[in-house]
Amino acid sequence: MRWLAARGAAGDAREVAAPGADIWDCAQGWSRSSWRLIDLCAIWEPGVFLPSAAADGSRASTGVGKSRPNEAEKLSTVRKAHIERHKASRACGLGSREQGLVLRMARQQAPPWVHVALIFFLLSLGGAIEIPMDPSIQNELTQPPTITKQSVKDHIVDPRDNILIECEAKGNPAPSFHWTRNSRFFNIAKDPRVSMRRRSGTLVIDFRSGGRPEEYEGEYQCFARNKFGTALSNRIRLQVSKSPLWPKENLDPVVVQEGAPLTLQCNPPPGLPSPVIFWMSSSMEPITQDKRVSQGHNGDLYFSNVMLQDMQTDYSCNARFHFTHTIQQKNPFTLKVLTNNPYNDSSLRNHPDIYSARGVAERTPSFMYPQGTSSSQMVLRGMDLLLECIASGVPTPDIAWYKKGGDLPSNKAKFENFNKALRITNVSEEDSGEYFCLASNKMGSIRHTISVRVKAAPYWLDEPKNLILAPGEDGRLVCRANGNPKPTVQWMVNGEPLQSAPPNPNREVAGDTIIFRDTQISSRAVYQCNTSNEHGYLLANAFVSVLDVPPRMLSPRNQLIRVILYNRTRLDCPFFGSPIPTLRWFKNGQGSNLDGGNYHVYENGSLEIKMIRKEDQGIYTCVATNILGKAENQVRLEVKDPTRIYRMPEDQVAKRGTTVQLECRVKHDPSLKLTVSWLKDDEPLYIGNRMKKEDDSLTIFGVAERDQGSYTCMASTELDQDLAKAYLTVLADQATPTNRLAALPKGRPDRPRDLELTDLAERSVRLTWIPGDDNNSPITDYVVQFEEDQFQPGVWHDHSKFPGSVNSAVLHLSPYVNYQFRVIAVNEVGSSHPSLPSERYRTSGAPPESNPSDVKGEGTRKNNMEITWTPMNATSAFGPNLRYIVKWRRRETRETWNNVTVWGSRYVVGQTPVYVPYEIRVQAENDFGKGPEPDTVIGYSGEDYPRAAPTEVKIRVLNSTAISLQWNRVYSDTVQGQLREYRAYYWRESSLLKNLWVSQKRQQASFPGDRPRGVVARLFPYSNYKLEMVVVNGRGDGPRSETKEFTTPEGVPSAPRRFRVRQPNLETINLEWDHPEHPNGILIGYTLRYVPFNGTKLGKQMVENFSPNQTKFSVQRADPVSRYRFSLSARTQVGSGEAATEESPAPPNEATPTAAPPTLPPTTVGTTGLVSSTDATALAATSEATTVPIVPTVVPTTVATTIATTTTTTAAATTTTTESPPTTTTGTKIHGTAYTNNQADIATQGWFIGLMCAIALLVLILLIVCFIKRSRGGKYPVREKKDVPLGPEDPKEEDGSFDYSDEDNKPLQGSQTSLDGTIKQQESDDSLVDYGEGGEGQFNEDGSFIGQYTVKKDKEETEGNESSEATSPVNAIYSLA
């Protein structure tokens, strides 16, 4: 079968594609396929398409598996249609031989599977397309009636206005109308009040001459009829709005104990529709509601506990009726609260425990509404579910909501009325179940369970669509609906039950489907499907129209299209015909069809050129052909050069008062008109007297601070534009103040005052204010702000900005906004405080002048589409009750718009096909009218998982860590959504190395877009891998492809693990390591590279190669001073891998850099080492003197062999030291930087401190003894040779004299070599040298005695000579302090 299509720029995309490239040219009578024996001109064109005759049978129609078995029919109808169309094949130019082939093929009995497959394929194509809106086609083609506009099913009217019941329809010829009322014919001519609009079925009931609207209440139905059928409207129930008065009643004061619960019942009079309830005082002040006092959904006012403050006002229930715009007020309630504390101390209101402060007893919660512990509620699908729990108690209970067995639907559930109400919007079946509310305070908690049942009025699964066929074609109408309970389906034709309609042999009813076979002109009619259950009904009209129309072009002829070079463009060729024509494109009259490569022909006939080149310029011809003829149209394409700014403006910094020039040179197509304009801070730039705009530059004379900002050059033609931006920074003059005022301190301005509104108009008002003091800085700007009390009360918004020289301005206002204004002054210091607000001014309402922005249509499930938009704010609402009219329809079908009115910012369209485009419109509406016609936005319904996997997946190994993939792309109809990417899942199955455990965690590689190849990297070498491919759309992954296996070759290994360097002594360094974590192949050995270094000096690099099983190595140090840097890598046949690097530890005697003590002066000393006293002089002569601070260094008892070299010679002295007393220390001279021993500081050891204290005490006692003996005149023996220091060979004096000498002249323990390798000379000291009167004594910081006593005479004799001073052991210790 075939079905009609009108295709254009936004036309149908559901056309039936002809058999690929094997297209028959009916004008030439030939086919490019040698094996196809069926005359496609006689089969395809009339509407019969047999599956391909390929030998393997694999090219049968994909629609076979989707059709239902009960829709099969015999092939005789197809064969009959084929033979009847045989004569038409003569128009194709077939010879007698070809005609014989056609007849033989038609008479052959096809196998049974072909019968079923063909009928399923034909029925699956049943569909309908709107007749194009072209007036010439609309006026020429006949069409049964279609209802285009009707009133809502429940039509409530205002009794003060005339009644209007809408019914409009289209058709050709134009339909006539009649009505029924309460299922009986409504004779309009007999009632003078009732009339029908011209060329419309809309009823107008006029009450200007009297009459009661209630007399016309009832159920109305409109019938639109022409000679091809009758269409029906919905059954419209007309009701007159009612706003009855409140009954008069006298209400006694309500007496209640403080802390007790209270319910004030409203009981409003029944209205139509139900009124809006709100509570106010008799003085029209709104009742403040909170967690304790709130209004229920039924209109009653609930007090969870009454407080004394509640009797300060009365309470009146008010009902607002929508249609009459009236508010009726009930007599007010007066409260009398009995209390134990009659003083209403306002200070207690903020008390943390106001109830105990007022002596109110605390109570556990109890429910005020609903009563009991459980209740049930029924809600219809698609409506809002409102659950309410109001509890009493002291303190006021908190309410929490839960659902048994699951969570609340977060995207649909919201809490209202201080958490006392739970609203779930757009209820569906999964929202049924048990909900419970939990009321709790510190005294306890209670719960109430609500069982929710979701029922459903009928809703469409498959709504019948208009069916337009060519003669002899087959089709079907499907009417599928769902509901709870399951709805029943009733078919009607032209308004009459199908059972009572005349029989039609070409029509067959199969439950919810009507199947048409071999349709003829007489088959035209309008069918109605009525599906209903106890909760409602759905009525749909769908006509069957049979047309036989030759191809026609719908666009203007010989259009000119200009396009920019390298852009993408689309050439449209909308056409129409029945049977649906095939379309081909040609360029410059050439015979080859344009499709493929740089060209792509869409299903609606549009030709897309993916990237325009100069050679694409020319004349393009589209040819539409069917069995009734052909039509063609031409489009001339011109290619233009792009507009480019080749010299852009640059950022500049200028001083105030100078001249600035911003360049902007443009290259463009000379045949296009160029316009160059400038923007400042993204706003159009006003070219004043100080500016000069030329074709290629902008010049600013006398630059001021206000000129600072961004400047954008915008070069545009009628086809494209280019932008370039630069920033201008203006530097202010640094001039000194020239007068006394300029030197005064500057501050922010004072706030403006005395705001006044004058010249009140419908859309504007004049605001005047008195400026405040500028505080020595001129006011530069005034900012006017406004606040409205409807949408965002208390929030201030910027309205406009004015120069600082004005104090009056006209403000342009939006309709239906209750404005309040304030003014802020601005100077260079900052902004003032806002002024006091002005009086309020409300503008009158008007229909919206704009529509909501950011309209989108996206599917959240596979069978829906969520339409969202950004709601309009208060200044664009223009009136009360702002709402949105949401319209949508399938893009390709051009069907009648579906519409719904929404108060929020989203609407979900259900039961949509998978990923189809929709046209969407969202229009704003308020009580004053509708906004402008909205723009059409294209949205898409939800995606489903892809149905196919990539095939022919081929793998090519690139290297040890990467592979190249290539696959066959899937067909677009199997994606079922937007193709996001192809994705490869791969995992490491095993390693080629035995007994090596590997992780089989799945990894993935993504290849965005519709591409046939990609590369997977970062693989492990020498491994077995498995790989699968999938297609990914917005919903998720499709089925997986066949699993592929591949093996990666050897690679280089990773670094050896746990590479350790140990130094057990100064001569040996031990290395240990473990095998690499990832060998990436068969290990053939290890390579060790190491190099000695001392500071920045590097020695010669050495290389060692080891077997793969060796994991240890020892290095004998040739230089104890230097350290070593080691680099170890593993090797495979491919090469060496990543290296592990370590350094040998610092030797025990190597110092760590420290800062020199700032209090000690530098001392010139020689480089010291561990040498004997006899060699010290010789080495000291060759040592280089260095001025550094002396740092105390603790010397260990034993040291290892040390090699020391000087900086001036290459000679080295090696000395082995022996045991020495632990009290000896030495100073180390360090070149440039002081170092400290890395061992523990001996100065912090307890035994050392105690020893030093004992020595100090002993010295002090000796000194005291000396002074005592001297004061008594005793003789203190002194060494006679004053100029000779005490030596270690001198025997101790027997007369009581003593000295402190270093026995055997042993070197001090722990003395260290300096960095330059020289050794410091060590001198032996006596504790007391020639001493006498005038001797000086010194004590160091810890009290130890340092110094010598000399006789005054000796001192004079030794002045100017070489010092004979000897340093005692104590001096040696503290000489470094």
Side-chain angles (χ1 to χ4, degrees):
M1 60 166 280
R2 302 285 295 165
W3 44 275
L4 186 65
R7 304 187 295 182
D12 182 43
R14 293 176 51 198
E15 57 184 348
V16 180
D22 300 318
I23 299 176
W24 277 74
D25 191 333
C26 294
Q28 300 178 9
W30 56 270
S31 172
R32 290 190 290 256
S33 177
S34 59
W35 51 265
R36 193 178 301 274
L37 300 180
I38 301 176
D39 176 13
L40 296 181
C41 289
I43 298 293
W44 174 262
E45 297 294 353
V48 179
F49 174 55
L50 291 176
S52 167
D56 57 1
S58 61
R59 298 180 59 177
S61 169
T62 58
V64 173
K66 295 182 179 179
S67 301
R68 302 186 304 169
N70 62 356
E71 294 176 350
E73 66 171 29
K74 296 180 180 179
L75 190 60
S76 58
T77 302
V78 180
R79 293 174 58 210
K80 178 181 176 182
H82 186 196
I83 296 173
E84 288 177 351
R85 293 290 180 176
H86 168 60
K87 293 182 180 181
S89 65
R90 298 180 183 273
C92 298
L94 296 178
S96 59
R97 180 177 179 275
E98 290 82 354
Q99 295 175 22
L101 282 174
V102 171
L103 289 174
R104 286 197 301 273
M105 289 301 300
R107 293 190 180 106
Q108 291 175 356
Q109 181 65 39
W113 70 268
V114 177
H115 293 204
V116 179
L118 178 60
I119 298 306
F120 280 22
F121 179 78
L122 298 179
L123 293 178
S124 68
L125 294 178
I129 300 300
E130 285 276 345
I131 300 295
M133 301 305 294
D134 188 281
S136 62
I137 297 180
Q138 289 277 344
N139 297 332
E140 178 182 339
L141 298 179
T142 59
Q143 184 177 351
T146 301
I147 299 293
T148 59
K149 189 176 184 182
Q150 56 183 320
S151 296
V152 295
K153 294 179 181 178
D154 291 319
H155 189 33
I156 303 175
V157 296
D158 191 339
R160 300 171 300 178
D161 298 333
N162 293 335
I163 295 177
L164 200 69
I165 310 178
E166 292 183 314
C167 177
E168 296 182 7
K170 67 179 180 178
N172 191 13
S176 60
F177 299 88
H178 73 269
W179 287 82
T180 62
R181 179 186 174 194
N182 299 328
S183 301
R184 300 179 61 184
F185 175 72
F186 184 42
N187 194 341
I188 299 174
K190 290 186 177 181
D191 193 332
R193 295 191 185 93
V194 183
S195 62
M196 190 181 300
R197 285 183 176 175
R198 186 182 178 188
R199 296 180 182 178
S200 170
T202 299
L203 287 182
V204 179
I205 306 176
D206 192 347
F207 297 103
R208 286 179 295 181
S209 58
R212 297 179 64 251
E214 291 78 4
E215 297 176 356
Y216 291 89
E217 290 185 328
E219 189 176 73
Y220 291 79
Q221 191 167 26
C222 174
F223 293 74
R225 173 179 300 162
N226 66 12
K227 64 180 181 178
F228 302 116
T230 303
L232 277 64
S233 72
N234 289 323
R235 296 187 296 275
I236 302 170
R237 184 184 177 192
L238 179 66
Q239 296 175 282
V240 178
S241 173
K242 299 177 178 60
S243 53
L245 298 176
W246 224 301
K248 295 293 183 180
E249 55 183 343
N250 293 323
L251 301 177
D252 296 330
V254 179
V255 181
V256 62
Q257 183 69 35
E258 186 175 18
L262 175 64
T263 302
L264 299 182
Q265 296 183 349
C266 181
N267 297 326
L272 186 67
S274 299
V276 177
I277 304 300
F278 57 96
W279 287 80
M280 303 184 74
S281 66
S282 58
S283 59
M284 301 305 290
E285 293 291 334
I287 301 299
T288 302
Q289 299 188 26
D290 53 21
K291 184 174 69 171
R292 184 178 65 87
V293 182
S294 62
Q295 176 184 321
H297 184 62
N298 58 3
D300 294 345
L301 188 64
Y302 293 89
F303 295 77
S304 294
N305 50 75
V306 176
M307 301 299 293
L308 184 63
Q309 66 199 44
D310 295 332
M311 62 182 293
Q312 295 180 356
T313 183
D314 53 10
Y315 301 87
S316 177
C317 182
N318 297 262
R320 180 170 64 86
F321 294 91
H322 173 69
F323 278 89
T324 59
H325 299 288
T326 58
I327 296 177
Q328 297 190 23
Q329 189 177 50
K330 185 177 182 178
N331 287 341
F333 290 95
T334 302
L335 287 188
K336 181 177 181 182
V337 181
L338 304 179
T339 178
N340 298 326
N341 187 354
Y343 298 101
N344 187 12
D345 190 353
S346 60
S347 64
L348 295 179
R349 294 186 180 181
N350 298 325
H351 195 278
D353 193 355
I354 185 174
Y355 298 102
S356 61
R358 294 200 52 78
V360 178
E362 295 179 338
R363 293 183 292 103
T364 58
S366 61
F367 282 111
M368 306 174 69
Y369 179 88
Q371 300 291 333
T373 60
S374 63
S375 59
S376 63
Q377 193 166 334
M378 190 274 289
V379 64
L380 291 181
R381 179 183 184 272
M383 306 297 289
D384 285 0
L385 170 64
L386 182 66
L387 305 178
E388 192 172 33
C389 282
I390 302 177
S392 65
V394 178
T396 304
D398 294 312
I399 305 294
W401 290 91
Y402 305 93
K403 183 180 181 182
K404 287 187 177 180
D407 297 328
L408 297 176
S410 58
N411 58 334
K412 300 193 298 182
K414 60 180 179 180
F415 302 105
E416 300 177 352
N417 198 15
F418 310 99
N419 271 27
K420 299 178 183 180
L422 170 65
R423 182 181 298 274
I424 300 178
T425 59
N426 192 22
V427 170
S428 57
E429 286 77 3
E430 55 264 27
D431 295 321
S432 60
E434 290 191 353
Y435 297 77
F436 67 89
C437 57
L438 185 69
S440 60
N441 62 11
K442 65 180 181 179
M443 301 300 294
S445 63
I446 58 171
R447 70 159 62 181
H448 182 93
T449 302
I450 306 174
S451 178
V452 175
R453 294 174 293 114
V454 179
K455 300 291 185 179
Y459 58 91
W460 290 118
L461 298 178
D462 283 311
E463 185 179 0
K465 307 296 182 183
N466 295 334
L467 187 61
I468 306 176
L469 305 172
E473 289 186 343
D474 297 352
R476 62 174 177 171
L477 293 177
V478 180
C479 177
R480 293 195 183 103
N482 198 5
N484 187 7
K486 183 73 175 179
T488 59
V489 175
Q490 178 190 10
W491 283 102
M492 295 182 289
V493 57
N494 295 328
E496 299 294 334
L498 197 61
Q499 295 81 0
S500 59
N504 186 345
N506 300 331
R507 179 180 64 209
E508 178 184 343
V509 180
D512 55 12
T513 303
I514 301 180
I515 302 172
F516 300 93
R517 297 185 177 89
D518 193 20
T519 55
Q520 302 300 324
I521 298 296
S522 59
S523 301
R524 291 181 289 192
V526 182
Y527 290 82
Q528 289 83 32
C529 173
N530 183 54
T531 174
S532 61
N533 64 11
E534 62 187 65
H535 301 297
Y537 75 94
L538 293 173
L539 177 67
N541 293 276
F543 64 71
V544 177
S545 183
V546 182
L547 297 177
D548 211 350
V549 182
R552 298 184 58 172
M553 292 297 170
L554 303 180
S555 59
R557 303 186 64 83
N558 301 323
Q559 295 185 78
L560 171 62
I561 295 180
R562 298 183 298 176
V563 66
I564 296 298
L565 186 67
Y566 304 127
N567 278 3
R568 180 191 298 259
T569 191
R570 180 181 293 188
L571 307 181
D572 295 323
C573 183
F575 61 93
F576 173 72
S578 175
I580 184 172
T582 57
L583 187 77
R584 291 176 295 172
W585 283 89
F586 305 95
K587 179 186 176 185
N588 296 332
Q590 298 177 359
S592 59
N593 184 29
L594 298 179
D595 196 6
N598 197 34
Y599 301 101
H600 176 68
V601 178
Y602 285 89
E603 292 180 348
N604 65 356
S606 296
L607 174 66
E608 182 184 64
I609 306 177
K610 299 176 183 177
M611 187 175 71
I612 292 293
R613 299 162 299 187
K614 282 292 186 181
E615 54 267 26
D616 292 323
Q617 184 167 289
I619 297 176
Y620 291 80
T621 304
C622 59
V623 179
T625 308
N626 68 6
I627 60 174
L628 300 178
K630 69 176 182 179
E632 65 178 44
N633 199 357
Q634 290 184 344
V635 178
R636 183 159 61 94
L637 180 67
E638 291 185 358
V639 181
K640 304 296 183 181
D641 292 327
T643 303
R644 293 291 179 265
I645 300 176
Y646 66 91
R647 179 168 294 180
M648 298 179 291
E650 298 179 350
D651 295 343
Q652 296 191 35
V653 178
K655 293 183 178 180
R656 187 171 62 180
T658 60
T659 299
V660 171
Q661 185 178 52
L662 300 173
E663 281 192 310
C664 181
R665 299 190 180 183
V666 185
K667 180 181 180 182
H668 71 290
D669 194 290
S671 63
L672 300 177
K673 181 180 179 181
L674 175 67
T675 302
V676 178
S677 57
W678 289 84
L679 307 176
K680 182 179 183 295
D681 297 329
D682 299 327
E683 296 292 337
L685 175 65
Y686 171 72
I687 306 297
N689 296 330
R690 295 185 303 105
M691 297 185 183
K692 180 180 180 182
K693 175 179 169 295
E694 297 176 329
D695 292 340
D696 57 358
S697 65
L698 173 69
T699 304
I700 306 175
F701 302 97
V703 172
E705 285 85 350
R706 62 178 178 271
D707 295 324
Q708 179 169 297
S710 63
Y711 289 80
T712 303
C713 175
M714 183 169 61
S716 58
T717 65
E718 55 264 43
L719 297 183
D720 67 338
Q721 69 175 16
D722 194 16
L723 304 174
K725 181 180 289 188
Y727 195 87
L728 175 61
T729 302
V730 179
L731 301 179
D733 294 336
Q734 303 295 328
T736 50
T738 57
N739 53 55
R740 185 179 61 84
L741 290 178
L744 293 176
K746 298 180 180 180
R748 298 182 180 184
D750 293 343
R751 70 173 69 185
R753 56 188 175 86
D754 297 344
L755 272 63
E756 182 181 4
L757 298 178
T758 58
D759 301 343
L760 306 177
E762 186 175 355
R763 293 289 186 92
S764 65
V765 68
R766 176 174 289 277
L767 175 65
T768 305
W769 63 91
I770 296 177
D773 192 346
D774 63 5
N775 292 324
N776 305 316
S777 178
I779 296 175
T780 58
D781 299 287
Y782 286 104
V783 178
V784 177
Q785 297 181 330
F786 75 94
E787 179 259 352
E788 52 84 25
D789 59 358
Q790 182 177 0
F791 290 91
Q792 291 180 300
V795 179
W796 290 89
H797 309 272
D798 288 347
H799 184 281
S800 50
K801 190 175 183 179
F802 300 98
S805 58
V806 304
N807 68 330
S808 179
V810 175
L811 308 180
H812 297 284
L813 310 179
S814 298
Y816 202 72
V817 178
N818 194 16
Y819 282 101
Q820 190 176 29
F821 301 98
R822 69 182 187 184
V823 183
I824 298 175
V826 181
N827 63 11
E828 66 177 12
V829 179
S831 302
S832 70
H833 292 292
S835 68
L836 297 179
S838 69
E839 60 184 1
R840 288 196 176 272
Y841 175 60
R842 178 182 289 277
T843 55
S844 58
E849 294 182 358
S850 61
N851 290 309
S853 60
D854 198 23
V855 178
K856 298 178 181 177
E858 298 174 344
T860 58
R861 298 181 181 176
K862 68 178 182 179
N863 59 349
N864 77 353
M865 177 180 63
E866 183 179 66
I867 303 174
T868 59
W869 57 90
T870 301
M872 300 166 63
N873 56 27
T875 57
S876 56
F878 286 16
N881 294 323
L882 177 67
R883 51 198 178 270
Y884 305 97
I885 301 174
V886 183
K887 298 181 180 180
W888 72 94
R889 68 178 179 184
R890 289 272 293 274
R891 181 182 183 183
E892 66 272 13
T893 60
R894 312 296 285 180
E895 61 190 6
T896 303
W897 289 93
N898 302 284
N899 65 81
V900 67
T901 301
V902 179
W903 273 261
S905 61
R906 61 185 289 271
Y907 180 76
V908 179
V909 180
Q911 303 305 322
T912 60
V914 175
Y915 198 68
V916 295
Y918 279 83
E919 294 179 334
I920 302 171
R921 296 178 180 176
V922 180
Q923 184 179 26
E925 182 185 29
N926 59 25
D927 287 354
F928 290 94
K930 298 180 180 179
E933 281 298 319
D935 296 331
T936 301
V937 177
I938 303 301
Y940 285 84
S941 58
E943 302 178 64
D944 200 357
Y945 294 106
R947 291 188 285 108
T951 58
E952 299 296 330
V953 179
K954 298 178 181 179
I955 299 175
R956 183 167 62 91
V957 178
L958 299 179
N959 51 46
S960 61
T961 61
I963 60 171
S964 172
L965 291 177
Q966 188 170 357
W967 60 88
N968 287 346
R969 293 177 288 190
V970 298
Y971 292 103
S972 58
D973 58 346
T974 65
V975 177
Q976 300 197 109
Q978 181 181 4
L979 194 153
R980 299 290 180 87
E981 62 184 29
Y982 287 90
R983 184 178 295 168
Y985 288 100
Y986 59 95
W987 62 96
R988 192 181 182 191
E989 187 71 16
S990 63
S991 173
L992 294 178
L993 296 173
K994 295 181 179 180
N995 301 325
L996 180 63
W997 180 87
V998 298
S999 172
Q1000 295 183 345
K1001 180 181 178 182
R1002 286 178 175 251
Q1003 297 176 286
Q1004 67 183 42
S1006 298
F1007 310 104
D1010 190 10
R1011 60 172 68 181
R1013 61 183 59 87
V1015 174
V1016 179
R1018 302 181 68 180
L1019 302 174
F1020 284 101
Y1022 211 55
S1023 301
N1024 294 319
Y1025 275 88
K1026 289 186 177 181
L1027 179 142
E1028 296 171 344
M1029 293 284 296
V1030 297
V1031 182
V1032 182
N1033 62 13
R1035 185 75 186 276
D1037 293 1
R1040 300 182 184 273
S1041 68
E1042 178 186 358
T1043 302
K1044 296 289 185 179
E1045 298 183 0
F1046 63 93
T1047 301
T1048 54
E1050 276 192 280
V1052 295
S1054 61
R1057 291 181 298 169
R1058 292 189 285 275
F1059 183 34
R1060 305 174 295 281
V1061 179
R1062 293 187 176 93
Q1063 185 173 324
N1065 50 57
L1066 294 178
E1067 290 81 14
T1068 305
I1069 299 176
N1070 294 333
L1071 310 178
E1072 294 182 8
W1073 63 90
D1074 293 344
H1075 296 298
E1077 181 179 5
H1078 301 292
N1080 297 335
I1082 301 175
L1083 291 181
I1084 62 174
Y1086 295 92
T1087 299
L1088 174 68
R1089 292 177 172 83
Y1090 59 98
V1091 60
F1093 69 94
N1094 187 356
T1096 59
K1097 299 178 181 180
L1098 295 178
K1100 179 180 179 182
Q1101 178 175 290
M1102 289 157 280
V1103 179
E1104 298 284 348
N1105 290 318
F1106 311 124
S1107 67
N1109 296 324
Q1110 183 173 345
T1111 58
K1112 296 181 178 180
F1113 182 69
S1114 296
V1115 177
Q1116 297 299 321
R1117 294 182 58 167
D1119 181 5
V1121 177
S1122 299
R1123 298 173 60 188
Y1124 288 83
R1125 184 175 294 117
F1126 300 94
S1127 175
L1128 180 67
S1129 60
R1131 303 193 312 275
T1132 62
Q1133 294 290 350
V1134 179
S1136 296
E1138 181 183 358
T1141 303
E1142 289 291 341
E1143 292 182 358
S1144 63
N1149 59 346
E1150 185 172 342
T1152 304
T1154 59
T1159 57
L1160 294 179
T1163 305
T1164 302
V1165 296
T1167 304
T1168 62
L1170 295 178
V1171 296
S1172 63
S1173 59
T1174 56
D1175 297 333
T1177 305
L1179 287 177
T1182 62
S1183 64
E1184 179 181 358
T1186 308
T1187 301
V1188 295
I1190 298 178
V1191 181
T1193 304
V1194 179
V1195 183
T1197 304
T1198 61
V1199 295
T1201 302
T1202 306
I1203 301 176
T1205 59
T1206 67
T1207 58
T1208 57
T1209 68
T1210 58
T1214 304
T1215 307
T1216 302
T1217 63
T1218 60
E1219 290 288 330
S1220 298
T1223 60
T1224 59
T1225 62
T1226 184
T1228 303
K1229 190 188 78 168
I1230 300 173
H1231 187 72
T1233 306
Y1235 288 83
T1236 61
N1237 196 302
N1238 57 3
Q1239 297 184 6
D1241 190 357
I1242 195 173
T1244 63
Q1245 303 300 315
W1247 62 267
F1248 179 77
I1249 297 175
L1251 182 62
M1252 293 298 101
C1253 293
I1255 294 174
L1257 182 60
L1258 180 61
V1259 172
L1260 182 61
I1261 293 174
L1262 292 176
L1263 291 176
I1264 294 174
V1265 171
C1266 291
F1267 281 113
I1268 292 175
K1269 295 190 68 152
R1270 184 178 181 85
S1271 63
R1272 290 182 179 181
K1275 180 179 178 182
Y1276 197 92
V1278 183
R1279 186 178 301 274
E1280 295 179 356
K1281 298 180 180 181
K1282 297 181 290 297
D1283 57 340
V1284 179
L1286 293 175
E1289 69 278 6
D1290 297 336
K1292 290 186 169 41
E1293 298 293 340
E1294 302 244 347
D1295 56 358
S1297 65
F1298 60 91
D1299 57 13
Y1300 295 96
S1301 63
D1302 196 354
E1303 292 185 6
D1304 301 329
N1305 200 21
K1306 296 179 181 179
L1308 293 175
Q1309 295 180 0
S1311 61
Q1312 300 177 353
T1313 59
S1314 65
L1315 291 180
D1316 57 5
T1318 58
I1319 300 174
K1320 178 182 177 181
Q1321 179 179 358
Q1322 179 173 338
E1323 301 174 353
S1324 62
D1325 298 330
D1326 286 334
S1327 61
L1328 296 175
V1329 192
D1330 301 89
Y1331 51 88
E1333 294 180 0
E1336 296 181 2
Q1338 293 181 349
F1339 292 86
N1340 66 353
E1341 292 179 356
D1342 61 356
S1344 302
F1345 180 80
I1346 302 176
Q1348 67 267 359
Y1349 293 88
T1350 58
V1351 182
K1352 184 175 182 181
K1353 180 176 124 176
D1354 297 335
K1355 188 174 182 180
E1356 293 174 355
E1357 292 177 357
T1358 58
E1359 281 184 357
N1361 300 330
E1362 182 181 1
S1363 174
S1364 60
E1365 177 187 25
T1367 305
S1368 71
V1370 179
N1371 292 341
I1373 293 172
Y1374 291 99
S1375 62
L1376 300 177

